[in-house]
Amino acid sequence: MKWPLGWLLPLDVVVDPLDASHAHCMAELHAGTFSRPWTDGEFHDLLSKPAVFGYVARELRWGKARILGFVLARAAAGEAEILTIAVAPDWQGHGLGRKLMHAVLSKAHGDRVESIFLEVDETNTPAISLYRRLGFFEVGGRPDYYRDNAGRLSAALVMRRDLR
Ligand SMILES: CC(C)(COP(=O)(O)OP(=O)(O)OC[C@H]1O[C@@H](n2cnc3c(N)ncnc32)[C@H](O)[C@@H]1OP(=O)(O)O)[C@@H](O)C(=O)NCCC(=O)NCCS
């Protein structure tokens, strides 16, 4: 089912700050959404760094929690970058990506971050649309930066959103 207003989530979906205890579930979800998945250990190491923060969306049902999506970011010296964002395939298109990005933008704004950057594959239309709708714009590119499983190369777009 798709909700008519993407930013309104069902009551049993909550968005909370990430911590290292989420590393295993993040790695599982990442493996289901990216061709080059990051490991538990990589997520654990990142989340142990004070500059790294993020948010997780969980569905709470029958006393159990399932991770539906997460976003990971890093902030330093007045700038931040989105390291990765993933939403479970069966939950994509329901407003979760937007909700998670809003959580990061809101924290970055509160922390007086001036600009937030990200890199995205030029062929990733859903992600580029999400970022553009949130006010990100293209500021550069890295040719032949990604290689898919068939060996095709594509560029990374570098995008920026100013917060002040
Ligand atoms: C990119 C991703 C995080 C978006 O999350 P999502 O929860 O599906 O996105 P939302 O439902 O919040 O959609 C927000 C906006 O994104 C864009 N969007 C989302 N899915 C889209 C699609 N399939 N095609 C085009 N635009 C899309 C739209 O602009 C949408 O706004 P709208 O509904 O008002 O038109 C998700 O598709 C995903 O996890 N993809 C796999 C991992 C990935 O590519 N991560 C990004 C790496 S840079």
Side-chain angles (χ1 to χ4, degrees):
M1 181 179 91
K2 183 169 167 90
W3 284 271
L5 295 172
W7 44 271
L8 274 183
L9 295 174
L11 290 178
D12 53 3
V13 175
V14 294
V15 174
D16 291 315
L18 276 171
D19 63 52
S21 72
H22 296 116
H24 177 67
C25 296
M26 290 166 73
E28 280 186 347
L29 202 154
H30 203 262
T33 45
F34 286 92
S35 54
R36 290 172 185 271
W38 299 0
T39 64
D40 295 26
E42 285 171 305
F43 282 115
H44 198 278
D45 287 351
L46 281 167
L47 284 163
S48 308
K49 298 186 195 312
V52 173
F53 66 98
Y55 293 89
V56 58
R58 293 176 304 143
E59 182 183 33
L60 306 174
R61 194 167 282 194
W62 314 119
K64 291 189 178 168
R66 178 192 162 206
I67 287 192
L68 307 176
F70 66 87
V71 59
L72 198 60
R74 174 164 50 204
E79 289 186 349
E81 64 176 316
I82 303 293
L83 299 175
T84 189
I85 177 170
V87 170
D90 57 328
W91 273 80
Q92 290 176 8
H94 292 154
L96 270 186
R98 184 199 310 267
K99 186 96 177 164
L100 289 162
M101 286 294 294
H102 270 303
V104 165
L105 291 170
S106 172
K107 169 156 169 55
H109 187 263
D111 290 350
R112 309 191 70 74
V113 167
E114 295 191 353
S115 300
I116 184 155
F117 291 82
L118 58 83
E119 281 173 7
V120 57
D121 188 324
E122 63 177 346
T123 66
N124 191 343
T125 307
I128 293 169
S129 304
L130 167 66
Y131 302 142
R132 286 204 174 123
R133 278 182 87 84
L134 291 169
F136 284 83
F137 57 93
E138 205 179 316
V139 290
R142 301 182 204 282
D144 298 341
Y145 189 73
Y146 299 106
R147 182 188 297 273
D148 70 13
N149 289 336
R152 280 182 300 261
L153 294 169
S154 54
L157 304 183
V158 181
M159 302 182 84
R160 187 178 92 209
R161 160 78 140 85
D162 294 324
L163 297 174
R164 316 222 150 252

